[in-house]
Structures are given as structure tokens and as C-alpha cells.
Amino acid sequence: MWRRFIPSKRIGESTLHYQTLKTIRTLEQASLYVQTLRETPEPHKLDERLTYYRLLLIAQTPQAVKAQWQMDIHKHGYHNRHKRLFELIDFNDTFVSLVLLTPIHQRVGLPESLRLEMERFCRSVQSPMFSGEQFEAIVRGLGREIAVYTAAEQLGYKVRMTSRTQDAFGIDMMIIQPGTEKRMYIDCKTPSAYRHRLEELVKHGHISDAQLLKADEEDFITHDQHHNGDTVPVTLLCIRPDTVGYIHTFAFDEPARFKLLLERMFNSIDDRRVLDIFAKKW
């Protein structure tokens, strides 16, 4: 028999149990459960943290699906667009956190198992699910960021993903080079999105045609972004298979190729002091 979900004022072990998902039957209950988990201190043990983020991701799925469908249908804007966008960003942040916590050798098959759990939960709350194309696009997009993060970390760099609170500059992550302590903010792009962004920068007079051609050849460019009086150099990084190889299971097939590109990127920037958008030391 299904039990009605009632959010507890005190967060205990039962909150971080898969059985709890089976008591949730409506979108409203799913939203309450997400709020309950958000108010739960993140566990310290790895297995409990994995459970926490997996439950949070599954519970966020119905609202993320709704947001994605509305974004796809109303491509030129609609009421509450920013709210829907933030719901997608929150979902993506949780997805990334879960994958990064998962040991690399356990990531094989992770998207498939997550999709099955998402489909099951969406059915239980009578919600539509991502289409195959939508889900694959999410996995591919996050896979590029996770591959860059994972490779840089394995190469000895300090890496930190941004959340929506630090994303005002359009930054995916911060990477700090060992030894030099140079800080670089990265915005990962597909080849088509990269070219489009370069053309936008030329159109608005931020870079020249010559700089566009050079950036197109090098697959990266660093330019200043401005927000609320702050200036941050952001490096647009083109994830081009011809340059860095292909990505499978959230990792580069040939990480050595990415290593060379990352070294060239850091060699191209100076040692000027860069604003720490996380507002705290490592």
C-alpha cells in the first residue's frame, strides 16, 4: 500500500532512503521533498552523499522536465521563463554533483540507470518524462563540462564547478594551475556555440575579426566579462573532437590531447590578479 508523503520537520535517516520516493504521488509532494532535502545538511560519508544527490536528482526530475518542455516549445520567451531556467540549472547542478561524486570506474551505465529511475518516478507522480533527445542532450552537455573538470583534476589542477549563484558571468568552472596559481574561468562550448559566441563578440566590438580567426584556430579565447561593476576574464573553450578527441562516460577518450590544450590556455594568460567569484580561499 502506498503511504502518503509528509515532510518531516526533523531530518533523519528515513529521509535519505529510496523507500521515501515511493510515498510521493504528486508534483506538489515532489517539490516538498526537494525542499526537505535542500534543508538537509549534506552527509559526510561518500555512500550517504551519493544517496542524497541521487534522491535529490530523481525528485527534481518532474519540475525539470516541465521546464525543459516549456523552454523547447516557447523558444522566444514566456511567463516565468527565469524560474523555469533556474529549475533546469538546479537540476543540472545536482546531476553534475552526483557524477563528480561517483568514482570514475562506477560511472559506466550511470546515465541509463538514472533515466530508468527518473521514468519510474515521473510515472508515479503522473508527470511526463524527458524525451530521448532531451535527455541525451542534457547528458552530452554536462558530459563536456564533467570531462574537462575530471581531466584537469587528474592533471593536478585545482578545479571547482560554479553553481547558479556564481554563474552571472556565464562560467562553468574555475581552474587553478599548480605552481603558478593562475586562476582561469572556463565556459565550455560546442563548436557551433563557440563560433556563434565569437561572432557575437565581434558584432559588439569586444574582439576583432583577426582575434576571431585566431580563436577559431586555437579553440579558445579569453575576454573580459563585466557584471555589477566587477570584471572577470572568461576563457571560452571549444570542445572540438578534432582537437581534444571524443567523450564517453563523462571523460575524454584521449586526455593527453586535452592536457596540451589546457597548457596552451594557461600559457596565453598573464599573472594579473583575478577576482575570486567564490569569495573564499581554497
Side-chain angles (χ1 to χ4, degrees):
M1 178 181 294
W2 291 95
R3 295 175 57 201
R4 183 166 64 93
F5 171 69
I6 301 175
S8 172
K9 293 183 179 179
R10 288 193 63 187
I11 304 303
E13 291 182 1
S14 61
T15 308
L16 297 179
H17 195 283
Y18 288 102
Q19 188 68 25
T20 309
L21 288 179
K22 295 182 179 181
T23 69
I24 299 174
R25 303 306 301 274
T26 68
L27 290 174
E28 182 181 5
Q29 290 172 356
S31 296
L32 286 172
Y33 185 53
V34 169
Q35 181 180 345
T36 300
L37 287 175
R38 287 293 192 195
E39 295 171 354
T40 306
E42 186 177 316
H44 297 293
K45 295 181 180 179
L46 177 59
D47 58 341
E48 293 177 356
R49 292 174 72 194
L50 286 169
T51 298
Y52 171 85
Y53 278 106
R54 194 166 186 124
L55 290 173
L56 181 58
L57 182 68
I58 302 305
Q60 286 179 295
T61 301
Q63 287 297 340
V65 170
K66 180 180 178 181
Q68 184 66 67
W69 280 105
Q70 289 185 346
M71 296 285 284
D72 290 348
I73 293 171
H74 306 284
K75 295 182 182 297
H76 302 292
Y78 57 92
H79 184 61
N80 282 338
R81 184 178 188 277
H82 288 292
K83 181 180 179 182
R84 299 287 86 83
L85 181 60
F86 283 147
E87 287 172 343
L88 280 174
I89 292 173
D90 274 344
F91 175 85
N92 289 344
D93 284 349
T94 304
F95 203 129
V96 170
S97 295
L98 175 61
V99 175
L100 291 178
L101 278 173
T102 303
I104 293 177
H105 67 279
Q106 294 180 14
R107 295 179 187 176
V108 176
L110 182 60
E112 292 77 11
S113 67
L114 288 174
R115 182 175 178 177
L116 288 174
E117 289 187 50
M118 290 174 183
E119 289 176 340
R120 188 181 303 119
F121 185 68
C122 284
R123 282 197 303 270
S124 73
V125 297
Q126 300 180 14
S127 163
M129 172 57 182
F130 294 115
S131 68
E133 183 179 345
Q134 288 172 332
F135 187 76
E136 288 300 318
I138 290 171
V139 172
R140 283 198 307 272
L142 299 182
R144 284 186 290 269
E145 298 176 22
I146 294 169
V148 170
Y149 181 106
T150 301
E153 189 174 56
Q154 290 179 326
L155 291 168
Y157 291 78
K158 299 174 185 177
V159 196
R160 184 166 181 178
M161 284 286 191
T162 57
S163 67
R164 81 181 196 192
T165 57
Q166 296 102 17
D167 197 33
F169 294 96
I171 297 166
D172 293 322
M173 72 193 75
M174 176 173 69
I175 303 179
I176 297 180
Q177 188 178 45
T180 68
E181 296 302 305
K182 287 182 180 179
R183 181 181 292 120
M184 182 180 286
Y185 294 114
I186 305 294
D187 181 8
C188 300
K189 298 289 188 185
T190 62
S192 60
Y194 179 68
R195 178 70 189 201
H196 179 71
R197 183 69 179 123
L198 292 179
E199 291 172 351
E200 279 189 334
L201 291 173
V202 170
K203 179 180 178 180
H204 292 96
H206 298 305
I207 66 172
S208 65
D209 288 328
Q211 287 175 305
L212 180 148
L213 293 174
K214 182 180 179 183
D216 214 15
E217 180 180 348
E218 294 185 334
D219 283 333
F220 69 88
I221 185 173
T222 301
H223 71 102
D224 284 345
Q225 286 274 77
H226 307 281
H227 180 72
N228 289 342
D230 291 321
T231 300
V232 169
V234 176
T235 300
L236 300 177
L237 170 59
C238 180
I239 308 299
R240 195 187 307 276
D242 290 345
T243 303
V244 295
Y246 290 93
I247 295 171
H248 293 95
T249 318
F250 306 108
F252 289 111
D253 292 345
E254 304 171 84
R257 296 174 67 175
F258 176 72
K259 176 184 178 182
L260 294 175
L261 177 59
L262 189 58
E263 289 174 347
R264 291 203 305 271
M265 289 163 61
F266 271 98
N267 288 337
S268 73
I269 63 174
D270 56 32
D271 293 315
R272 66 170 165 148
R273 184 173 180 81
V274 176
L275 173 72
D276 184 355
I277 62 173
F278 292 95
K280 66 178 182 179
K281 296 181 180 180
W282 285 90

